[in-house]
Amino acid sequence: AKADGAGLFRLFEPGFEQAQIRRRHVEAELAAALDKGEIKLVYQPQVDVESERIVGFEVLARWDHPIRGRILPGEFMPVAESSRLMGRFDTYVLRLALVEARALPGVTLSVNMSALNLRNGAIFQTVAEALAETGFDPARLEIEITESAILDAAGDTQAALEKLRDMGVRLALDDFGTGHASLVHVRRFPITKLKIDKSFILNLGTDRDASAIVEYVVRLGRSLGITLTAEGVETREQLRFLRAFGAQQAQGYLFAPPLPLVAAAAMLERQQAA
Ligand code: C2E
Ligand code: CA
Ligand code: CA
Ligand code: CA
């Protein structure tokens, strides 16, 4: 039975028709999961590189499936992203996060948004409504969009992102370095943070190219007045390089994995008490 369950997610197995059927099945299951509250949120600390104090949390989705247990986004996000569910999914996560984040006072909350919600400018309405309904301070909200999403952004998107900026919402460019976003793209949009993809951080200090890229991106960011965050920081050695390059923020297992809300709040409280 377990093998059958896991098979639901193996979308690219031989047999197009089979794959289509499975995809539709998972799509329906995911839609129901939203209704049943099976989509849970975990919070990963983002720290200041110098002080190692928490400056924010990134919100990451988890699917607590009644039979298969906890499922990671790598398995279900592709399904959400290729369907009409995506708008609903992002809105769900955003609203829940803004409500739950009352337990995380005084720090930034970073929420991921998929490319689909960027394309038609829907992102502005989604975010503005969620802020209005929850009363969350816009200045504490940061939206993370991937480098590839911004590459196919059109005029509507740019206008929507500018309206968000005008509200005080910050914008981070996620997975930076994995696509082909150039300086031009970065400057055209109201980006306030670059998140260097973890694939570069992984090889910091061991691979000359990766180190050179990170150093370059940090320098680029600094000259544009954009905050630099490194994701996937797992070792002291990597942190040492980031400090030397002048990156401002870091996130990764070295500090904490994505945590349940209660654990994230406790970690923040310990810090604020100290
Ligand atoms: P991402 O936005 O790049 O998130 C960072 C991923 O790196 C997360 O994986 C996180 O758990 C993982 N990570 C954190 N620290 C480390 C580390 O030190 N080492 C390594 N190797 N990995 C680390 P996760 O939670 O599995 O999420 C995967 C991706 O799914 C995210 O990548 C994001 O693109 C997407 N995603 C997750 N939640 C949401 C959501 O609510 N909405 C949208 N649109 N996308 C989401
Ligand atoms: Ca992210
Ligand atoms: Ca990322
Ligand atoms: Ca990523």
Side-chain angles (χ1 to χ4, degrees):
K2 188 151 198 303
D4 286 342
L8 287 174
F9 290 90
R10 245 176 265 128
L11 299 169
F12 303 108
E13 273 178 355
F16 179 74
E17 214 167 306
Q18 281 281 65
Q20 288 298 306
I21 292 166
R22 275 204 203 92
R23 178 178 286 278
R24 253 177 272 129
H25 180 90
V26 178
E27 222 178 282
E29 235 198 325
L30 185 54
L34 287 173
D35 294 331
K36 290 185 283 188
E38 289 171 13
I39 302 300
K40 304 283 168 46
L41 306 182
V42 286
Y43 295 82
Q44 187 174 35
Q46 300 180 320
V47 308
D48 176 86
V49 159
E50 287 303 326
S51 65
E52 293 183 42
R53 287 177 71 86
I54 299 169
V55 291
F57 288 92
E58 177 175 7
V59 180
L60 296 157
R62 299 289 181 263
W63 183 355
D64 281 343
H65 193 282
I67 294 159
R68 263 167 286 146
R70 180 153 280 198
I71 305 171
L72 292 171
E75 280 194 73
F76 63 83
M77 286 309 298
V79 178
E81 276 167 355
S82 70
S83 69
R84 282 163 302 178
L85 254 184
M86 200 56 231
R88 245 189 89 200
F89 187 89
D90 276 349
T91 306
Y92 180 91
V93 168
L94 178 65
R95 290 205 184 165
L96 183 55
L98 294 186
V99 171
E100 290 192 346
R102 287 182 187 137
L104 306 170
V107 293
T108 299
L109 193 69
S110 303
V111 182
N112 294 285
M113 284 269 154
S114 78
L116 240 77
N117 294 322
L118 273 185
R119 215 161 285 157
N120 49 12
I123 190 168
F124 175 73
Q125 202 188 343
T126 302
V127 174
E129 277 176 11
L131 285 169
E133 276 165 34
T134 57
F136 193 86
D137 177 6
R140 281 180 53 210
L141 178 63
E142 179 173 76
I143 301 293
E144 295 192 3
I145 53 180
T146 61
E147 193 191 51
S148 50
I150 206 128
L151 283 179
D152 20 88
D156 284 0
T157 308
Q158 188 166 346
L161 295 179
E162 281 165 3
K163 283 197 283 180
L164 281 181
R165 178 210 40 212
D166 294 343
M167 284 184 77
V169 175
R170 279 167 287 162
L171 199 63
L173 200 53
D174 207 350
D175 298 349
F176 191 73
T178 56
H180 304 278
S182 69
L183 221 138
V184 178
H185 291 101
V186 175
R187 297 192 66 184
R188 190 153 67 94
F189 296 96
I191 306 286
T192 47
K193 180 188 277 185
L194 295 178
K195 289 191 83 173
I196 309 171
D197 192 68
K198 56 177 177 281
S199 58
F200 298 106
I201 307 305
L202 181 68
N203 298 312
L204 253 191
T206 56
D207 178 284
R208 291 234 325 270
D209 290 348
S211 308
I213 289 167
V214 173
E215 187 174 15
Y216 166 75
V217 171
V218 171
R219 206 167 329 125
L220 167 71
R222 292 194 80 98
S223 67
L224 293 171
I226 295 174
T227 305
L228 259 298
T229 299
E231 63 175 25
V233 178
E234 297 182 356
T235 68
R236 285 267 145 211
E237 169 86 347
Q238 290 161 353
L239 182 62
R240 214 166 44 73
F241 272 96
L242 293 167
R243 277 201 181 117
F245 294 158
Q248 292 98 330
Q249 296 176 9
Q251 176 180 351
Y253 300 153
L254 176 63
F255 311 103
L259 301 165
L261 180 66
V262 174
M267 193 175 169
L268 183 62
E269 214 170 294
R270 272 199 304 279
Q271 169 179 296
Q272 289 174 341

